[in-house]
Amino acid sequence: MLRGDMVGLRARHETDVPILQSELYDDIATRSRADSRPWRPITPGSAASPYTVSDPTDDAACFSVVLLADEELVGEALLWGIDLHNRIAHLGISLRSAFRSRRLGTDTVRLLCHYGFVVRGLHRLQVETLADNAAMIRAATRAGFVVEGTLRRSAWAHGDFADEVILGLLATEWNTN
């Protein structure tokens, strides 16, 4: 397990899947804003669930986020679109509603940076989020990410087009403190 100040990143367990499915995926409004693919109903336990436990791949690293104090499940975190040639990846997190607004997102982003830069040897990490997702922008900037630009009305999010903000962090800029 990767350990931060308050949370840890560990492999997904089968017991995590129903909780993540119910609280993150089945919250249609939130999920529609967090994923570029359209929401569709998925039966609990289906292999099509984005939380299904599977073998590791070279292009994604999926984690469950847990509290260090008691290992309660907080949410999910992932590096996706890992490009080993260019040594870049995209970063994403999604926290259960009961755990939001507690700075756990910042701790989670920092752990993903450690994993990406130290464990995987990546050169650049990138976040794409809706411009009104203040919590993700705040967590990323606290971890050292820099806003690099805005893609105007580029994301279809729950019935309307929305601006998307791109944030980036290079390994040489990352501060491990």
Side-chain angles (χ1 to χ4, degrees):
M1 179 185 319
L2 296 172
R3 297 176 182 277
D5 294 332
M6 298 173 281
V7 299
L9 300 182
R10 64 158 168 75
R12 180 132 331 121
H13 296 172
E14 289 290 344
T15 55
D16 298 342
V17 176
I19 297 166
L20 295 173
Q21 179 79 26
S22 172
E23 294 191 34
L24 299 181
Y25 189 83
D26 289 342
D27 178 350
I28 299 168
T30 300
R31 181 65 185 195
S32 296
R33 295 173 46 78
D35 195 336
S36 61
R37 297 165 295 190
W39 183 89
R40 60 192 176 127
I42 295 176
T43 305
S46 168
S49 171
Y51 309 108
T52 299
V53 176
S54 60
D55 292 331
T57 65
D58 285 339
D59 65 342
C62 301
F63 299 95
S64 286
V65 182
V66 296
L67 290 176
L68 289 178
D70 58 8
E71 291 205 26
E72 185 174 4
L73 181 64
V74 171
E76 71 157 338
L78 65 150
L79 290 185
W80 58 277
I82 299 172
D83 176 339
L84 297 176
H85 176 72
N86 292 302
R87 295 176 45 209
I88 63 174
H90 303 266
L91 179 151
I93 67 171
S94 187
L95 304 182
R96 297 168 59 200
S97 61
F99 297 97
R100 296 177 190 151
S101 301
R102 294 170 44 182
R103 290 200 176 203
L104 301 176
T106 300
D107 203 25
T108 302
V109 170
R110 287 183 177 138
L111 282 172
L112 282 172
C113 290
H114 174 83
Y115 177 77
F117 293 137
V118 175
V119 177
R120 296 295 295 263
L122 299 175
H123 166 70
R124 173 187 166 80
L125 295 176
Q126 180 171 310
V127 172
E128 301 91 5
T129 190
L130 298 180
D132 66 354
N133 188 348
M136 185 62 201
I137 294 169
R138 189 171 42 252
T141 55
R142 283 181 180 152
F145 283 79
V146 175
V147 174
E148 297 180 334
T150 300
L151 301 175
R152 298 176 305 133
R153 300 184 55 75
S154 65
W156 180 253
H158 203 59
D160 198 10
F161 285 101
D163 291 351
E164 203 170 13
V165 175
I166 308 296
L167 300 101
L169 180 63
L170 303 178
T172 55
E173 300 167 335
W174 183 57
N175 182 355
T176 61
N177 297 329

